[in-house]
Amino acid sequence: MINTNEILETIQMIDQQHLDVRTITMGISLLDCCDADAKRACEKIYDKITFSARDLVRTGEAIEAEFGIPIVNKRIAVTPIALVAGASDAEDYVPFAKALDRARAETGVNFVGGFSALVHKGMTPADRRLIASIPQALAETELVCSSVNIGSTKAGINMDAVALMGRIIKETAELTADRGGFGCAKLVVFCNAVEDNPFMAGAFHGVGEPDRVINVGVSGPGVVHYELKRVKGEPFDVVAETIKKTAFRVTRMGQLVAQEASRRLGVPFGIVDLSLAPTPAVGDSVARILEEMGLETCGTHGTTAALALLNDAVKKGGVMASSSVGGLSGAFIPVSEDEGMIAAAQSGVLTLDKLEAMTCVCSVGLDMIAIPGDTTAETISAIIADEAAIGMINNKTTAARLIPAPGKTVGDTVEFGGLLGSAPVMPVHPESSETFIARGGRIPAPMHSLKN
């Protein structure tokens, strides 16, 4: 049972410490929308999404009003479109993205994710067509998100797909140059992608999921930061215990919202993702949590250790509060979406190399990072390969959401607004990786993948 003290603590966290439910995400299977006729398949997709999620926004708003818990986004994740469109006669999958966007507009949700392909061991013709359609699809739709899984611990890394995604990211940036390369902010390249992630831009509805499901993502960097101020100067075991207790309370709130949404919508409850997802607002920053542990600036020596403690303690606290913790669940470090990360990057302390090291111990990876617009496709691919290698070897989800900002160089800033914030353009190494990427093929799975 949730007692009175928990309720009062939660009210204080919401009122003073930026606690919110970042998203209620409805996962919807589109496997029954396959059709040899592409136009008919798109109609089926639109019809199923608009029927399934017709009450999602209204229900989220009602829960928000009744419980006083801010619910920032209502979102939809669908079956990877390459699996659905592959049954059709279409050569161009942009119409499928437009069907998703029309359904998004009709239901009133904030984002729809799942214009995706899973190519960690190879590419089907449908996968190739979907990937080729990504730049145009993201340029011609408003809030459709795309992801491609190019590696896994079991399969290794598909370096042909890595090379291709470098070119796709460049093309996406060019087609949305009038918006600072905004299309790239809706595109994630994964290793070890999970099937129940409620967060954009990487959400999709896995084939092992039910027909429909409700997943909730909570967020509480401000709450953790506030609680750490109470244990200033205490040893790290006290810090870890404080974060665990805080994550417990945050997760309980998320589970309450998820179960209530599930009951009202008549849709099974899936998971609570307790990732610490920051925003550009002051007081809602993962970077400031790390600095509260004693670092002068996020990115200096000790940052990776501090982040490892934070990520582990969040997971431990969450699993004690709910038996349904899933998704990514940890700490996000998206540069453009975190006020403290932005400041650290602008000061030059937080670099791309340091961010890469930090991704070894946190959730996801190189997230919302603007790089010079003239960065080559091969360099982008090499950055993706490095990040995928971390995920593959460490048996964890990693990703890259890179934005080669057209016409921008180091020192410039790209403005996206809202939760996406602003991204300082960060330097990349000028030395070429072209010959490395040109090899293609597959980096084999590590020895510890042989667990059966």
Side-chain angles (χ1 to χ4, degrees):
M1 294 293 291
I2 296 175
N3 60 41
T4 303
N5 285 337
E6 284 185 290
I7 293 171
L8 293 174
E9 288 173 347
T10 301
I11 291 171
Q12 183 183 28
M13 290 189 291
I14 292 168
D15 188 48
Q16 301 175 18
Q17 300 157 30
H18 299 277
L19 178 63
D20 58 51
V21 169
R22 186 56 49 85
T23 178
I24 295 178
T25 301
M26 179 180 285
I28 303 173
S29 173
L30 300 182
L31 292 175
D32 56 351
C33 298
C34 293
D35 199 292
D37 183 285
K39 184 177 179 181
R40 179 62 184 143
C42 289
E43 291 172 354
K44 288 181 178 180
I45 288 169
Y46 175 85
D47 290 344
K48 182 160 189 184
I49 293 174
T50 53
F51 176 78
S52 299
R54 64 193 183 279
D55 296 325
L56 179 60
V57 171
R58 179 184 59 79
T59 300
E61 290 172 347
I63 294 171
E64 186 174 12
E66 289 179 34
F67 289 84
I69 298 171
I71 301 173
V72 179
N73 282 297
K74 295 83 180 174
R75 299 166 173 170
I76 292 169
V78 300
T79 306
I81 288 296
L83 300 178
V84 181
S88 76
D89 55 6
E91 292 294 325
D92 176 13
Y93 290 176
V94 172
F96 288 86
K98 290 182 176 180
L100 294 177
D101 211 30
R102 289 197 307 274
R104 176 205 58 79
E106 176 63 24
T107 57
V109 298
N110 302 95
F111 290 97
V112 57
F115 194 73
S116 305
L118 310 177
V119 298
H120 36 284
K121 206 169 184 179
M123 289 183 274
T124 66
D127 293 326
R128 291 185 183 277
R129 285 193 286 269
L130 183 130
I131 292 171
S133 300
I134 287 173
Q136 203 72 36
L138 297 184
E140 295 184 12
T141 59
E142 187 178 358
L143 294 169
V144 170
C145 294
S146 179
S147 61
V148 178
N149 191 67
I150 50 80
S152 73
T153 299
K154 281 287 188 182
I157 302 172
N158 183 346
M159 291 299 292
D160 293 324
V162 169
L164 178 57
M165 289 311 300
R167 299 192 293 271
I168 291 296
I169 289 169
K170 284 285 287 185
E171 186 179 347
T172 303
E174 290 162 4
L175 289 181
T176 55
D178 59 328
R179 290 167 281 168
F182 175 69
C184 296
K186 302 185 292 176
L187 173 59
V188 182
V189 184
F190 275 117
C191 178
N192 288 321
V194 298
E195 297 190 342
D196 56 4
N197 166 26
F199 285 99
M200 297 298 168
F204 64 85
H205 186 68
V207 295
E209 296 288 306
D211 189 59
R212 295 186 298 162
V213 70
I214 288 292
N215 297 321
V216 164
V218 297
S219 179
V223 181
V224 175
H225 186 209
Y226 177 86
E227 292 298 325
L228 288 187
K229 289 181 179 179
R230 300 185 179 188
V231 294
K232 193 177 292 289
E234 296 286 344
F236 280 115
D237 49 349
V238 175
V239 171
E241 195 65 23
T242 300
I243 296 170
K244 282 167 54 181
K245 291 177 179 178
T246 306
F248 179 92
R249 298 201 303 271
V250 170
T251 306
R252 294 274 279 182
M253 180 204 69
Q255 176 147 317
L256 170 67
V257 170
Q259 290 176 332
E260 190 64 20
S262 170
R263 182 185 66 79
R264 296 187 186 195
L265 290 165
V267 174
F269 162 45
I271 58 93
V272 177
D273 186 320
L274 50 109
S275 297
L276 297 182
T279 72
V282 174
D284 201 25
S285 162
V286 169
R288 299 306 184 195
I289 295 174
L290 306 180
E291 291 169 359
E292 186 61 37
M293 292 188 201
L295 305 172
E296 183 177 352
T297 304
C298 177
T300 192
H301 305 297
T303 299
T304 305
L307 184 58
L309 182 153
L310 173 64
N311 209 60
D312 181 66
V314 164
K315 291 178 187 290
K316 287 175 177 174
V319 297
M320 289 298 293
S322 172
S323 59
S324 300
V325 171
L328 300 166
S329 290
F332 290 171
I333 51 172
V335 173
S336 80
E337 300 173 18
D338 186 307
E339 166 268 326
M341 296 284 177
I342 294 169
Q346 288 174 332
S347 72
V349 176
L350 185 62
T351 65
L352 197 56
D353 287 343
K354 185 60 178 179
L355 281 164
E356 183 183 304
M358 292 163 67
T359 64
C360 296
V361 299
C362 78
S363 297
V364 196
L366 298 172
D367 196 11
M368 284 301 291
I369 295 173
I371 55 179
D374 61 359
T375 303
T376 67
E378 292 78 15
T379 294
I380 294 171
S381 294
I383 295 170
I384 293 170
D386 282 343
E387 197 57 33
I390 291 171
M392 176 186 71
I393 295 296
N394 291 290
N395 198 24
K396 68 185 292 293
T397 303
T398 54
R401 189 160 44 148
L402 305 170
I403 304 160
K408 301 288 187 178
T409 188
V410 176
D412 293 336
T413 298
V414 188
E415 297 286 346
F416 296 115
L419 288 176
L420 296 177
S422 61
V425 178
M426 302 179 72
V428 301
H429 291 291
E431 293 77 14
S432 175
S433 306
E434 184 175 354
T435 303
F436 174 78
I437 294 300
R439 287 180 177 271
R442 185 157 58 95
I443 294 178
M447 178 61 72
H448 60 260
S449 69
L450 303 175
K451 291 182 177 180
N452 291 337

